[in-house]
Amino acid sequence: MIKVLVNDGMHQDGKTRLEEANFQVDTNNIPQDELINRLPEYDAVIVRSATKIRKELIDQCPNLKLIARGGVGMDNIDVEYARSKGIKVMNTPKASSQSVAELVIGHMFSLSRFLHRSYLEMPTSGHSNFKALKKSYAKGQLVRGKTLGIIGFGRIGQELASSAIGMGMNVIAYDIRDGNVDVPIKSPMLEGQNFTISIKISTMETLLTKSDFISIHVPSTDKPILGAAEIAKMKKGVILINSARGGTIDEDALIEGLNSGQVSAAGLDVFVNEPTPRADLLGHPKVACSPHIGASTVEAQRNIGLELADGLRQHFQ
């Protein structure tokens, strides 16, 4: 019987699919410092963001045949080292793309209409200050007709582009590859008559100077993708959104940009010091925050669980 450790949680449907295939699935979390003693008991391990599978741990697990990450990025796994040891490493790139894209759109609408601030102020002062609040928040902007710059044009970036185009936005994409990418425009109202729009990969310079909104969708990086120099090139009043990884935006430079007005607002789902983000970002009046929940929808979690289960069954059977 194949023994699988699910250390950061898994949707019940995925667990059931594995058990129906005669896998032994253990879902009791093992603390990171105890894994070196316990993980050698297992043939496979499934993690999310919290558990780290590094070289030192891999070396102590001669029976380990598969490492699976429920999600897109795999920066908490020493992927190439594991593969050099003959261990399969897999993730679930398809399952949560739409959920992350929709969170970005939620931040875009919230920041464009100051909803993140009015949610906080209406309960405490709306009864006595209604007219003043209405005046304060009467200078929102439409999303339709604006330009969205997407840094990183993989599955999530393309899902975001599809939704943005459907809302009447212009899209500029930057990626490490060149050429054109065909983005499907999907809607139940089209009744099978889906069509694609070809988006040419642009330069970073063009994206920075022409975008009204910028959203980041890249893996973890050694240094920020957007720092002070990049923010200085942006259109004044740009709105930045990061649902990728903490550290892809220089947080010091972001706060400077927010305070100067170069950046009008920021939507952040990820932070450098998770799970303890810096207080000046969380409390900044121009920042809308969410606690790293991009992939955390019921539908995405189920899809992730099923995709993981199918990947394990295919590998071992």
Side-chain angles (χ1 to χ4, degrees), residues 42-221:
Y42 294 91
D43 302 289
V45 59
I46 295 174
V47 301
R48 295 296 300 270
S49 298
T51 300
K52 295 176 174 56
I53 309 294
R54 299 299 185 200
K55 175 180 181 296
E56 296 76 14
L57 180 58
I58 293 169
D59 285 339
Q60 298 302 313
C61 302
N63 296 322
L64 193 63
K65 302 174 184 66
L66 184 144
I67 303 168
R69 160 79 161 90
V72 180
M74 297 194 290
D75 42 285
N76 56 323
I77 302 169
D78 284 342
V79 175
E80 295 307 320
Y81 185 76
R83 287 173 175 163
S84 75
K85 294 290 186 178
I87 300 171
K88 180 178 177 62
V89 183
M90 60 170 286
N91 61 352
T92 57
K94 301 177 183 177
S96 59
S97 298
Q98 186 63 52
S99 294
V100 178
E102 287 190 10
L103 182 77
V104 172
I105 292 167
H107 276 300
M108 287 169 56
F109 280 121
S110 179
L111 294 165
S112 296
R113 300 300 298 271
F114 309 112
L115 299 182
H116 64 301
R117 296 304 305 168
S118 62
Y119 285 154
L120 296 174
E121 295 191 31
M122 282 293 291
T124 57
S125 59
H127 63 287
S128 59
N129 240 354
F130 191 91
K131 290 184 177 180
L133 289 177
K134 181 176 180 178
K135 185 176 181 180
S136 296
Y137 297 132
K139 295 182 180 180
Q141 59 176 312
L142 288 176
V143 168
R144 178 177 292 275
K146 300 300 191 300
T147 297
L148 170 63
I150 302 174
I151 299 176
F153 210 53
R155 286 185 174 88
I156 296 174
Q158 291 174 43
E159 285 284 2
L160 177 58
S162 177
S163 297
I165 291 167
M167 296 188 300
M169 300 188 77
N170 304 306
V171 172
I172 298 175
Y174 169 79
D175 199 83
I176 56 174
R177 55 186 163 167
D178 295 321
N180 292 0
V181 176
D182 290 334
V183 175
I185 307 301
K186 298 171 290 186
S187 170
M189 297 181 65
L190 296 174
E191 297 181 350
Q193 302 177 39
N194 295 348
F195 59 94
T196 62
I197 291 180
S198 183
I199 295 180
K200 179 177 172 55
I201 299 299
S202 181
T203 65
M204 179 68 88
E205 186 84 10
T206 298
L207 184 147
L208 294 176
T209 57
K210 294 187 178 298
S211 298
D212 302 295
F213 298 82
I214 295 177
S215 186
I216 301 180
H217 300 282
V218 297
S220 181
T221 54

Side-chain angles (χ1 to χ4, degrees), residues 5 7 30-40 45 51-53 57 61:
L5 173 64
N7 213 45
I30 298 174
Q32 184 74 45
D33 59 356
E34 296 179 22
L35 276 174
I36 200 162
N37 298 317
R38 298 288 306 282
L39 190 55
V45 59
T51 300
K52 295 176 174 56
I53 309 294
L57 180 58
C61 302

